[in-house]
Amino acid sequence: MKDHLKENIRFVMKTEMLSGDGIARELPKYLKNYAWNRIGLVVDKGVYDHCPYVKEIIGICQKELEHVTLFVNEMPEPTYDHLDQSKAGFQDVALDCFVGIGGGSTLDLTKGLATLKTNEGAAINYRGFGKVKNMPLPVVALPTTAGTGSEVTPYAVFIDTAAKWKFGINTEYNYPRLAVYDPQFLSSCPMKVFASAGMDAMTHTLESFVARNATFISRMFSRQAFKLLFENLNKLAQGDMSTPVKLNLLIGSGCAGAALMNAGAGPAGALSYPLGVYFDIPHGLAGSVFLPGVIKHNVAHEYYEYAELYDLVSDGHGLSPKEKSIKFADAIEALSHALGIPTDLKGFGVKTESDLMLIVDNSAQLKAAFDQNPVKFGQDEIKAVVFSLR
Ligand SMILES: [Fe+2]
């Protein structure tokens, strides 16, 4: 971790956060605070079909705002081509902002559309860092899963089908201006999605906590996110899908996202990329399968700072940091298990040695994330963790 008394640190948080049960009903009021009256509204298809509350919010926006262009996103893992096709419906209308209601992919798509509204040409032109020249339209994000943290980060990730890889449109301009945490959106969220998204957030908070670039400030977010996520995911595993659990998970995943974008990612999050691209595994599920293995690897290599997190949720009186860290690794594995997250790769169709090597070999380009791990995590370590999950 960077020492703030000896090194310069930077912590960025540019998103206004709103939270509350039913607060999305007041969305037009908050939009009008910014003089945004004409919106491009991007809604995830699954939520649109199964969550009556979303239709209520769309109706409120249509009634109280000057103009709404609605787009229902059917693609769970959007490609750059899909982004180009999706922008057609927004081209000839004057808009003040884009509003996204959905999981991470739909929120990313919303950021992409906001970028293309003010930047001409094909979406692929903006792949990479700093390619966006004109300020995108403002983005408002209403997450319907408690997981990705996309509502507070500027990243918008799409699959480049030609390069067979996921790449972001990464620009400092794309921080959502508003994030709205309303547990009513999670009312129709299937348990499986709930659990995998929650463990995605858990991956963000744990990897950001231990990341070499973590700071005094980012760790405040990691710690609080961990406590919220650990306690409420354990309640969820026991069947508690109450409003407080949903709200705590939403805020926990937002804080985890803020920690991640400031401190950096780690091996489990990075390894989710090849699993997503080559085996079509949703990001949430893909990252969490690697998490217990990465933690155990770190503890086995004498990294014991997990003890601090253990103390936040357990009575570790009389235990050494090593003993607490070992118990911590077991607790995260047990939580994954209780939530029904697959604990090996077979369940994802990764069965043969060449399947496993596809993940290992395509990890090289994720070196920046592996280098953030507090103990060495090179090719040998990647292979060991991946093959331990066969
Ligand atoms: Fe993630």
Side-chain angles (χ1 to χ4, degrees):
M1 185 181 82
K2 284 187 172 179
D3 183 343
H4 65 291
L5 298 178
K6 294 181 182 150
E7 295 171 90
N8 294 343
I9 63 170
R10 180 182 186 227
F11 185 87
V12 182
M13 183 69 191
K14 296 191 180 184
T15 306
E16 174 180 335
M17 288 170 150
L18 300 169
S19 80
D21 189 19
I23 196 168
R25 291 192 178 101
E26 297 174 43
L27 183 63
K29 179 183 88 181
Y30 289 105
L31 296 180
K32 285 176 187 174
N33 282 347
Y34 289 98
W36 299 333
N37 243 306
R38 301 165 300 176
I39 67 169
L41 181 54
V42 184
V43 181
D44 178 87
K45 170 99 165 81
V47 183
Y48 183 80
D49 286 345
H50 299 114
C51 178
Y53 185 62
V54 167
K55 293 210 172 95
E56 183 189 335
I57 300 304
I58 295 169
I60 290 171
C61 288
Q62 287 168 331
K63 189 165 159 250
E64 296 183 23
L65 296 170
E66 201 178 305
H67 174 82
V68 177
T69 297
L70 178 65
F71 175 75
V72 178
N73 174 42
E74 295 191 24
M75 193 169 249
E77 300 276 312
T79 61
Y80 278 90
D81 296 335
H82 179 65
L83 174 54
D84 282 326
Q85 290 152 15
S86 308
K87 78 175 181 183
F90 297 103
Q91 257 169 340
D92 298 323
V93 284
L95 299 174
D96 300 317
C97 72
F98 274 87
V99 177
I101 306 179
S105 297
T106 293
L107 300 184
D108 284 8
L109 183 69
T110 308
K111 293 176 199 169
L113 289 166
T115 300
L116 295 184
K117 186 71 179 153
T118 56
N119 291 273
E120 285 185 357
I124 199 79
N125 295 339
Y126 302 102
R127 199 196 88 177
F129 289 86
K131 301 270 180 68
V132 176
K133 298 292 176 238
N134 301 322
M135 185 67 93
L137 284 193
V139 169
V140 176
L142 296 88
T144 60
T145 60
T148 67
S150 176
E151 71 279 1
V152 295
T153 75
Y155 314 125
V157 177
F158 302 95
I159 296 175
D160 180 339
T161 34
K164 284 203 174 60
W165 198 248
K166 281 184 173 184
F167 290 104
I169 294 177
N170 301 307
T171 164
E172 287 271 324
Y173 299 150
N174 244 343
Y175 286 93
R177 295 278 293 277
L178 263 177
V180 183
Y181 297 109
D182 186 340
Q184 298 246 353
F185 285 124
L186 274 62
S187 60
S188 63
C189 186
M191 175 65 185
K192 213 175 140 192
V193 177
F194 220 134
S196 65
M199 284 306 284
D200 181 29
M202 180 63 89
T203 305
H204 299 163
T205 203
L206 294 186
E207 298 211 303
S208 64
F209 181 81
V210 303
R212 288 179 192 270
N213 280 342
T215 67
F216 181 68
I217 305 176
S218 73
R219 276 201 167 182
M220 290 185 199
F221 280 76
S222 298
R223 267 189 220 101
Q224 189 58 45
F226 166 71
K227 190 166 160 49
L228 282 170
L229 293 168
F230 186 84
E231 288 174 351
N232 289 280
L233 285 172
N234 271 296
K235 287 182 183 172
L236 183 70
Q238 288 157 18
D240 182 351
M241 292 176 78
S242 62
T243 298
V245 166
K246 290 174 186 166
L247 194 50
N248 282 331
L249 289 176
L250 278 168
I251 294 174
S253 64
C255 291
L260 184 79
M261 75 174 165
N262 281 283
L271 286 168
S272 75
Y273 277 74
L275 206 51
V277 172
Y278 295 104
F279 299 95
D280 260 348
I281 309 304
H283 173 74
L285 269 180
S288 47
V289 71
F290 297 107
L291 188 61
V294 173
I295 296 171
K296 287 188 167 195
H297 168 84
N298 291 344
V299 175
H301 288 78
E302 300 181 3
Y303 179 82
Y304 302 140
E305 290 186 34
Y306 296 111
E308 192 184 332
L309 299 177
Y310 183 82
D311 284 337
L312 292 175
V313 293
S314 307
D315 179 12
H317 188 72
L319 297 177
S320 69
K322 179 181 177 180
E323 288 166 329
K324 287 178 190 173
S325 295
I326 291 169
K327 281 181 173 283
F328 180 82
D330 292 340
I332 296 299
E333 189 164 35
L335 175 60
S336 243
H337 209 260
L339 288 167
I341 305 278
T343 45
D344 63 38
L345 292 169
K346 277 189 229 82
F348 294 135
V350 183
K351 291 177 178 149
T352 64
E353 183 135 349
S354 65
D355 287 343
L356 293 163
M357 283 313 293
L358 195 59
I359 298 175
V360 175
D361 291 341
N362 281 286
S363 299
Q365 50 195 316
L366 301 159
K367 191 173 175 302
F370 297 121
D371 288 348
Q372 279 290 309
N373 197 52
V375 304
K376 181 174 173 276
F377 210 88
Q379 275 307 97
D380 292 345
E381 289 77 17
I382 294 168
K383 193 172 173 190
V385 168
V386 170
F387 274 71
S388 74
L389 293 168
R390 68 194 306 183

